[in-house]
Amino acid sequence: MSNSLLNIKGVSCAAINAGIKNNDALDLSIISLADGSTTAGVFTQNIFCAAPVVVAKNHLQQSPLALLINSGNANAGTGTQGMENTVKTCEILAEKLGININQVLPFSTGVIGQQLDLSKFEVGIPSVVSKLSADGIADVAKGILTTDLVEKSVSTQFEVNGTMVTITGVAKGSGMIRPDMATMLSFIFTDIKASQVELQTGLTTATNQSFNRITVDGDTSTNDACTLSATGMSGVDINDCMDEFQQALNFVTKTLAHKIIKDGEGATKFVEVCVKGGASNKDCLEVAYTVAHSPLVKTALFASDANWGRILAAVGRANISGLTIEDINIYLNKVSIIQAGEPDESYTEVAGSAEMAKDTIVITIEIGESDTQESVWTTDFSYDYVKINAEYRT
């Protein structure tokens, strides 16, 4: 597993400051894919999905050859005009690259409810295209950010019969995170040879154990999207290494998902809520999300306050049937709080406070005897979370 960002043969990228944001940061990115590339995608389930999401979903079946991404404006809640503006940006890029308009996948992130300034794209797109290079992916990782404090990127490689297969991914997101398909935005590239159907299967599997298991605040964005593009330029066919590819892709998506949580708006704690023993995976997830979304649990985590009654109360109100008090055990890291529904006699406030003071915490909740287990990753709620979101448009 590599720590440095690796280029993918057949992928060229660039990002510039086109003036879409109100600062000097990179905000317009383009990714160009070699002919013959295949792309799969997963998108937000929010009914108010943004104009670029609607267009990208429509274009996904047209053998995409370019991704157009802007930050600073979500182009969501913008009605018919927003849709027309998205199509126009695709048209500008398609003309510059000499491809069909339907082969451009558009993505936007930023403030909801404001129309795109098309002049920024008319001037910016030719400038970005002129800068396309094989090693521009790091700039894209910067160009897609909004309230994020750090770039989120990762690469990994595995060998098949002496040939290296590479996967590189970038992501953005730190607030309005409970993806319900993927993260706010994530773009993953590989040089493996695969059909769109094969990529879609792999991506859905990977997102379900990564991006679909994280939550900062329980809000699903209007713009969530995650794509996986394969150029085929390693010459290795996915059918010759299906398990190894899935394992590597899972690593990439989970690493990016965890980076999103660690960069959660105002976050000071990285928290795993692990629920075991439920009648079904769905029951385990319901309990995990109920705890992870509790503002009282999250503020106690921020305060390093071992107020375990808040965890207990959240578990008790989880919307599942057949939850029995006597079956419930709760742990803060390795420290036992509740055993068989009663306070553990060995528990001390000192021990609980010591665990809550750590910046990485695992809350384990056992609700039955089955082998079923699910984890959700989340953050605490700090003063800064409120400040960042209260001042987002000012």
Side-chain angles (χ1 to χ4, degrees):
M1 301 301 178
S2 172
N3 292 321
S4 58
L5 209 52
L6 301 172
N7 298 337
I8 303 294
K9 197 173 181 188
V11 176
S12 55
C13 321
I16 65 161
N17 168 26
I20 301 166
K21 289 178 181 169
N22 296 323
N23 55 26
D24 294 328
L26 300 175
D27 56 18
L28 185 61
S29 305
I30 291 171
I31 296 151
S32 177
L33 304 170
D35 282 344
S37 295
T38 50
T39 296
V42 284
F43 299 90
T44 182
Q45 302 298 309
N46 195 309
I47 195 170
F48 275 109
C49 63
V53 170
V54 175
V55 175
K57 286 167 87 171
N58 288 339
H59 288 187
L60 193 62
Q61 303 308 319
Q62 311 296 320
S63 303
L65 291 177
L67 280 58
L68 172 63
I69 312 152
N70 76 270
S71 54
N73 186 325
N75 193 10
T78 48
T80 307
Q81 183 67 55
M83 202 70 72
E84 289 172 2
N85 288 344
T86 294
V87 172
K88 181 62 180 172
T89 63
C90 292
E91 196 178 286
I92 297 167
L93 180 56
E95 195 176 318
K96 272 320 273 186
L97 293 177
I99 60 177
N100 190 301
I101 186 173
N102 294 334
Q103 292 180 299
V104 177
L105 299 182
F107 304 91
S108 300
T109 180
V111 177
I112 294 171
Q114 295 180 2
Q115 297 292 348
L116 291 179
D117 180 349
L118 282 180
S119 68
K120 310 285 190 190
F121 292 81
E122 286 162 350
V123 174
I125 286 174
S127 177
V128 190
V129 169
S130 71
K131 292 178 168 59
L132 286 172
S133 73
D135 54 6
I137 190 68
D139 282 344
V140 172
K142 292 187 182 78
I144 62 177
L145 305 182
T146 50
T147 59
D148 310 59
L149 298 177
V150 297
E151 299 100 64
K152 300 161 187 73
S153 58
V154 64
S155 291
T156 191
Q157 290 181 307
F158 61 95
E159 198 174 319
V160 182
N161 299 325
T163 302
M164 278 297 194
V165 174
T166 306
I167 307 177
T168 288
V170 298
K172 66 84 52 183
S174 57
M176 201 183 277
I177 295 289
R178 188 197 172 175
D180 204 10
M181 45 46 64
T183 179
M184 291 211 29
L185 287 179
S186 182
F187 308 103
I188 304 167
F189 309 95
T190 179
D191 52 12
I192 206 162
K193 188 174 186 295
S195 69
Q196 187 190 48
V197 171
E198 288 162 344
L199 289 184
Q200 192 67 55
T201 301
L203 182 60
T204 301
T205 298
T207 52
N208 279 340
Q209 54 86 60
S210 56
F211 297 130
N212 273 352
R213 296 291 181 266
I214 61 173
T215 181
V216 168
D217 43 28
D219 267 310
T220 297
S221 164
T222 52
N223 290 60
D224 294 338
C226 175
T227 61
L228 171 62
S229 300
T231 66
M233 291 205 164
S234 67
V236 175
D237 193 290
I238 194 169
N239 291 297
D240 295 332
C241 55
M242 195 74 83
D243 290 345
E244 295 95 325
F245 179 77
Q246 190 67 60
Q247 193 176 351
L249 183 61
N250 291 351
F251 167 79
V252 167
T253 56
K254 191 175 279 190
T255 301
L256 291 172
H258 287 187
K259 287 187 178 195
I260 287 167
I261 289 300
K262 288 174 181 176
D263 191 30
E265 289 170 342
T268 69
K269 305 278 173 84
F270 177 74
V271 184
E272 178 179 350
V273 184
C274 176
V275 180
K276 301 178 177 179
S280 65
N281 292 77
K282 188 178 176 186
D283 280 2
C284 288
L285 279 174
E286 174 62 31
V287 172
Y289 274 122
T290 304
V291 173
H293 287 154
S294 165
L296 293 180
V297 171
K298 292 164 90 69
T299 48
L301 286 162
F302 172 61
S304 299
D305 177 12
N307 189 349
W308 53 262
R310 293 181 175 182
I311 301 171
L312 192 76
V315 173
R317 69 180 168 83
N319 187 24
I320 66 171
S321 58
L323 196 60
T324 306
I325 287 178
E326 291 77 21
D327 290 338
I328 297 173
N329 308 318
I330 303 176
Y331 303 82
L332 265 183
N333 291 329
K334 301 293 185 189
V335 173
S336 173
I337 302 171
I338 298 291
Q339 284 296 316
E342 303 212 0
D344 191 308
E345 291 179 5
S346 66
Y347 174 77
T348 65
E349 185 78 7
V350 171
S353 296
E355 298 308 316
M356 286 291 267
K358 294 176 178 175
D359 57 13
T360 299
I361 299 168
V362 181
I363 299 170
T364 303
I365 302 155
E366 296 170 348
I367 60 173
E369 296 294 322
S370 80
D371 293 333
T372 311
Q373 178 175 327
E374 288 286 355
S375 282
V376 165
W377 294 277
T378 191
T379 61
D380 55 342
F381 267 167
S382 68
Y383 305 128
D384 281 345
Y385 177 86
V386 176
K387 184 177 168 64
I388 289 165
N389 283 286
E391 298 175 357
Y392 185 52
R393 299 205 312 163
T394 56

